[in-house]
Amino acid sequence: MTLGEVASHCYNITTSYLSVSNDSAVIESTKDAIQITRNHFLQEIFPRWNPFSDQISFSYNGGKDCQALLILYLSCLWEFFLSSIQVSQYPPEYHLFPLKFLPTVYINQAETFRTLEESIETTRSRYFLSVYESPRNQTSMPEAFKNYLEHNTQTEAIVIGIRYTDPFGADLKCIQKTDSDWPEFMRIQPLLHWSLSNVWSLLLYSNEEICGLYEKGFTSVGSVNSTVPNPYLKRNPVAEREGNGPENHFKWEIRNAFGKEEPTDEVHVSRFSDSDAKILQEAGQLDYYPGWFLVDDSLERAGRARR
Ligand code: ATP
C-alpha cells in the first residue's frame, strides 16, 4: 500500500457511505455532515493551503474523532488529486500521488494506555503518518506545538478533530488563528458540526480498525490516570433482563460495513493490551458496553475521571 492507495480507499469508503440507501436519521445527518466537511476541505482549505506541500499538518492522538476526520481528510486529498489531474490526457494510474507521508503531530502528554499506544503505531503505518511525537511530559500543549513548529517551519495550518460539543468547542470556527497564548498557526476544524452519533456511524461503517479501548466502554480517551470506562455504559443485568439496557444504534453500519463480504456483528478493533486489562480488572471496570452504545453527546466525557 501507499498513501495514494489508502487515500483512494478512504475516498471509496466515503463515496459508499454517501450512496447508502437506508432511512435512518443518523445516516442522513452523517451524510450532511460529511458533505459540509468535504466542502470545507475542497472549497476553502485546500485552495488556501496546498495539502501536497508541508503547509498543512494533521493533529492526531489516536482518538475516534481524529480518526473519523483522517478518513475524510484522506478521502478529500484523493478527490483533490483527481481534480488536479483532470486536465491531463493520461488516466490517473499514470500520475504519481504527490505525497508519500502525511505530516502529523502527536503531543505525548501524560501516561497513555498501552492499547492506545499500540493503536497509534498501527494507524501510523496504515495511513502513512509521518508523526512528530513531542517529548513525553516535558511541556505544556502550547509549548509542545511551539516545538513542533520550530521543527516544521513550513507548517501554517493544523487540522484538529474538535467538535462543538467538546469542552471549549462551542464558539469555535472552522478556520481560525490560535489564541494569543499559543504559538501562531491557523486551526482547521472541519469536524465541529459532527455529533457523537455521526462519528460512530461513519467509523463503524468504515470497517477501519479502531482503538480497542472503545470496545471496553471508553467513549473519550485521555491519560491512564484521568480516564475510566464511561459509567453510563456499566452493564446492569437487572436492567438488561427488563429490557432497559442501552441499545446499539449502529447495528446496520456494523453489519453492512464497507468491504464486508457478508453481514457480521464483528467490529474491527485493535488488540486490548494485557496491562490495560489488568488496570481495569483491579479497578473492577471490565464489565461495560462498548463505547458506541452511548449516543448522548453530553455524556461523552463522563469517563474522564480520576481512577
Ligand atoms: P476522543 O474524544 O474519543 O478521545 P479525540 O481524541 O479524537 O477522540 P478529543 O480528545 O476531543 O478527540 O480531541 C480533539 C482533537 O484535538 C483530536 O481529534 C486531535 O485532532 C486533537 N488532539 C487532542 N489531543 C491531542 C494530542 N495529544 N496530540 C495531538 N492532537 C491532539
Side-chain angles (χ1 to χ4, degrees), residues 14-304:
T14 312
T15 314
S16 166
Y17 190 98
L18 289 173
S19 65
V20 158
S21 51
N22 175 303
D23 54 10
S24 129
V26 171
I27 290 183
E28 283 312 309
S29 83
T30 308
K31 285 183 187 176
D32 292 344
I34 290 174
Q35 292 292 18
I36 294 171
T37 302
R38 182 174 163 265
N39 288 343
H40 281 312
F41 278 131
L42 295 175
Q43 290 169 17
E44 297 168 56
I45 299 164
F46 293 169
R48 217 165 142 186
W49 296 282
N50 181 357
F52 297 135
S53 72
D54 288 335
Q55 290 177 325
I56 304 192
S57 292
F58 198 95
S59 73
Y60 188 78
N61 65 346
K64 62 182 185 318
D65 300 332
C66 55
Q67 189 176 1
L69 185 56
L70 184 57
I71 292 170
L72 294 169
Y73 185 75
L74 291 172
S75 166
C76 290
L77 269 192
W78 184 253
E79 250 190 291
F80 192 65
F81 167 62
L82 289 185
S83 66
S84 73
I85 58 171
Q86 218 174 26
V87 286
S88 161
Q89 53 180 322
Y90 301 107
E93 56 272 25
Y94 287 93
H95 293 266
L96 206 57
F97 190 72
L99 269 189
K100 286 201 165 62
F101 291 95
L102 204 67
T104 309
V105 47
Y106 169 47
I107 310 302
N108 204 339
Q109 271 195 309
E111 206 185 330
T112 315
F113 286 100
R114 184 90 195 110
T115 307
L116 183 64
E117 278 175 13
E118 288 175 3
S119 169
I120 289 175
E121 274 314 304
T122 309
T123 43
R124 186 201 288 255
S125 41
R126 164 86 181 133
Y127 301 114
F128 295 85
L129 308 179
S130 136
V131 182
Y132 164 89
E133 210 166 311
S134 70
R136 186 181 287 237
N137 266 341
Q138 280 184 353
T139 47
S140 66
M141 213 55 159
E143 274 293 311
F145 274 95
K146 186 164 170 276
N147 247 325
Y148 175 74
L149 294 170
E150 281 166 6
H151 284 90
N152 296 270
T153 50
Q154 311 275 355
T155 311
E156 293 176 21
I158 300 184
V159 181
I160 304 169
I162 193 166
R163 297 188 284 116
Y164 285 130
T165 50
D166 284 330
F168 313 108
D171 297 322
L172 296 176
K173 297 190 182 67
C174 175
I175 301 177
Q176 67 185 116
K177 251 197 192 150
T178 44
D179 294 342
S180 57
D181 50 345
W182 271 69
E184 198 176 311
F185 62 85
M186 295 303 276
R187 300 170 58 145
I188 308 292
Q189 302 163 149
L191 202 73
L192 283 172
H193 56 286
W194 283 59
S195 68
L196 186 54
S197 292
N198 296 148
V199 171
W200 281 127
S201 181
L202 177 67
L203 260 193
L204 293 168
Y205 179 79
S206 77
N207 210 9
E208 292 292 288
E209 182 178 287
I210 59 174
C211 174
L213 289 172
Y214 292 117
E215 195 188 31
K216 300 293 176 191
F218 290 80
T219 52
S220 179
V221 184
S223 70
V224 174
N225 294 324
S226 63
T227 320
V228 295
N230 194 308
Y232 290 93
L233 291 176
K234 187 150 182 54
R235 282 188 188 272
N236 177 342
V238 179
E240 249 171 66
R241 265 199 305 278
E242 291 168 356
N244 292 328
E247 212 189 304
N248 180 0
H249 293 267
F250 306 103
K251 281 189 194 139
W252 189 91
E253 286 86 335
I254 294 169
R255 292 185 71 77
N256 298 282
F258 184 75
K260 266 191 186 172
E261 282 174 7
E262 52 190 68
T264 68
D265 293 327
E266 197 188 322
V267 176
H268 200 180
V269 291
S270 72
R271 196 185 79 88
F272 186 59
S273 93
D274 295 342
S275 56
D276 292 343
K278 196 160 166 253
I279 293 173
L280 294 196
Q281 193 171 26
E282 280 169 3
Q285 289 167 340
L286 268 176
D287 215 10
Y288 285 72
Y289 294 99
W292 50 89
F293 277 54
L294 187 102
V295 290
D296 182 341
D297 289 85
S298 68
L299 303 179
E300 180 182 351
R301 285 184 181 247
R304 292 289 195 108

